[in-house]
Amino acid sequence: MAKKKPIVGIIMGSKSDLPVMEQAALALDEFGIEYEISIVSAHRTPDKMFEYAQSAASRGLQVIIAGAGGAAHLPGMVASITPLPVIGVPIKSSNSIDGWDSVLSILQMPNGVPVATVALNAAQNAGILAAQIIASSSPALLKKISVYKEKLKKKVDEMNREIKRQPGKK
Ligand code: RP5
């Protein structure tokens, strides 16, 4: 059977971002969404970044998830080029000062060029958000998101049962 075309692009500034960014891939796997994953650096490979962002929509991508650490320009620059929604993942990297540099670089975009910024290292949420964006026009995927949310609720119910089983608790 032919492999389905990727509809989400996961990019990151360096291979050192992969341990964080693969959480986005795992989230997309859970919803059965095809993605492509590559290293594209705003600073080290600016031409490649431009090419990637410019061709993303015509190649069939619907959402881009971009992660970077330190002076994290990748998500914002990609958002300035593509008409697709861009989700930014700030990463605490070797050149970060506590990660705030990356959070603020990705979050504080000027009006007109939004980047949906998730929490520090929160690539899993980026994957879920990408799925939710795509689900807004896919009833089948929307159903999967509802099932996922139901699972979250059940986990909390289980936590409550657990703490109430402990001695001294009602
Ligand atoms: C950023 O610099 C990358 O996104 C990475 O988070 C950080 C460090 O990169 P390496 O020096 O580990 O390649 O551009």
Side-chain angles (χ1 to χ4, degrees):
M1 206 169 73
K3 208 173 173 298
K4 279 199 263 165
K5 276 179 81 174
I7 55 174
V8 175
I10 302 175
I11 53 175
M12 64 206 84
S14 169
K15 191 176 171 209
S16 61
D17 299 324
L18 190 60
V20 169
M21 293 305 287
E22 61 193 6
Q23 297 303 316
L26 290 175
L28 293 169
D29 280 338
E30 183 161 348
F31 296 114
I33 296 173
E34 296 296 324
Y35 53 85
E36 58 175 34
I37 186 158
S38 34
I39 296 163
V40 179
S41 167
H43 302 126
R44 293 165 177 159
T45 61
D47 293 343
K48 185 174 173 174
M49 177 204 65
F50 194 87
E51 219 297 289
Y52 186 95
Q54 210 174 36
S55 65
S58 62
R59 289 190 298 107
L61 298 184
Q62 296 179 21
V63 181
I64 295 174
I65 299 173
H73 294 124
L74 182 66
M77 285 309 297
V78 167
S80 76
I81 299 162
T82 180
L84 297 175
V86 176
I87 302 170
V89 183
I91 293 176
K92 188 170 175 187
S93 58
S94 59
N95 58 331
S96 280
I97 304 170
D98 279 345
W100 274 113
D101 37 13
S102 174
V103 169
L104 297 175
S105 304
I106 297 177
L107 183 68
Q108 294 300 114
M109 288 295 290
N111 282 336
V113 191
V115 169
T117 310
V118 295
L120 189 68
N121 290 344
Q124 183 189 26
N125 267 359
I128 296 167
L129 184 57
Q132 288 176 306
I133 291 169
I134 295 163
S136 65
S137 60
S138 163
L141 187 52
L142 207 53
K143 212 167 171 184
K144 286 187 191 175
I145 308 271
S146 298
V147 170
Y148 173 79
K149 286 200 168 283
E150 196 53 37
K151 272 200 243 164
L152 290 182
K153 185 176 151 277
K154 284 193 178 133
K155 268 189 202 158
V156 175
D157 290 345
E158 180 53 32
M159 285 182 211
N160 270 312
R161 277 195 293 276
E162 264 173 41
I163 62 167
K164 283 173 190 171
R165 271 200 295 267
Q166 285 172 15
K169 301 279 184 311
K170 291 204 170 171

